[in-house]
Amino acid sequence: MSRELILVWAGRHQRDSWSSLVADYLERIRRWTPIREIVVKVRDERDAATRLRTEAAALLGALPEPVYLVALDRRGEAVSSPELADRLTRVRDEWPHAVAFLLGSDLGLAPELLARARWKWSLGPLTLPHELARLVVAEQVYRALSIGAGIKYHRAPL
């Protein structure tokens, strides 16, 4: 189960304080599997539709082929941490290539990206800033891998 994981996100800025928190989880994940983060920066277009299309092309261009694409989308499927662990284990056992978690910009993800995704994952109905969403994804992937490895990081509720 050593498939590469990729955290890909569209953003205009990257704050050091958030990046160091994400980096901590990425380093923890590397104990079990390769992971990398790809930041796609797109110049700000005046027209939101144009920017969304430009971001979609840049995000797709940053991904290896083939890739198992997981799109973060508020309309996607919300799962518990153990359910995420099961799904990630299944995907990595069945898919011999990289698995990419894709976060859009403040505009979300273009419909063509959502259509290409093999799974749409929701972190819930809340609107989260990019930095926080990246941190939650990194932490939950680490949690999922720790559950799969039998590490006592995750504790079931009482």
Side-chain angles (χ1 to χ4, degrees):
M1 193 163 74
S2 63
R3 310 287 184 260
E4 180 185 36
L5 301 177
I6 308 170
L7 178 56
V8 185
W9 61 281
R12 289 177 281 179
H13 50 75
Q14 187 171 357
R15 295 187 184 114
D16 289 340
S17 57
W18 288 98
S19 295
S20 66
L21 293 169
V22 172
D24 178 59
Y25 282 106
L26 298 183
E27 194 57 40
R28 292 179 191 199
I29 290 167
R30 286 186 186 102
R31 295 176 192 162
W32 293 297
T33 192
I35 187 167
R36 62 185 162 122
E37 185 176 29
I38 300 173
V39 182
V40 174
K41 295 186 181 185
V42 176
R43 65 184 170 92
D44 201 4
E45 300 283 342
R46 291 182 186 265
D47 175 86
T50 301
R51 190 173 119 211
L52 198 59
R53 282 192 306 275
T54 304
E55 286 173 358
L59 288 166
L60 282 176
L63 295 171
E65 282 293 333
V67 66
Y68 189 102
L69 193 56
V70 178
L72 276 288
D73 184 75
R74 65 178 171 79
R75 297 163 297 219
E77 179 185 7
V79 294
S80 67
S81 297
E83 289 168 337
L84 177 62
D86 289 343
R87 181 175 289 247
L88 188 55
T89 297
R90 236 182 7 260
V91 166
R92 295 180 74 222
D93 284 347
E94 297 168 4
W95 181 256
H97 308 288
V99 176
F101 297 91
L102 186 60
L103 287 95
S105 69
D106 57 322
L107 298 175
L109 292 169
E112 58 267 26
L113 284 177
L114 292 172
R116 287 188 64 162
R118 292 176 178 257
W119 181 43
K120 293 168 198 71
W121 176 24
S122 172
L123 299 179
L126 297 171
T127 301
L128 301 175
H130 261 59
E131 292 90 351
L132 183 54
R134 283 175 45 227
L135 180 60
V136 171
V137 170
E139 190 280 336
Q140 283 299 301
V141 169
Y142 172 71
R143 184 177 297 272
L145 292 172
S146 71
I147 290 169
I151 304 298
K152 293 184 179 183
Y153 175 77
H154 176 76
R155 289 168 181 74
L158 298 176

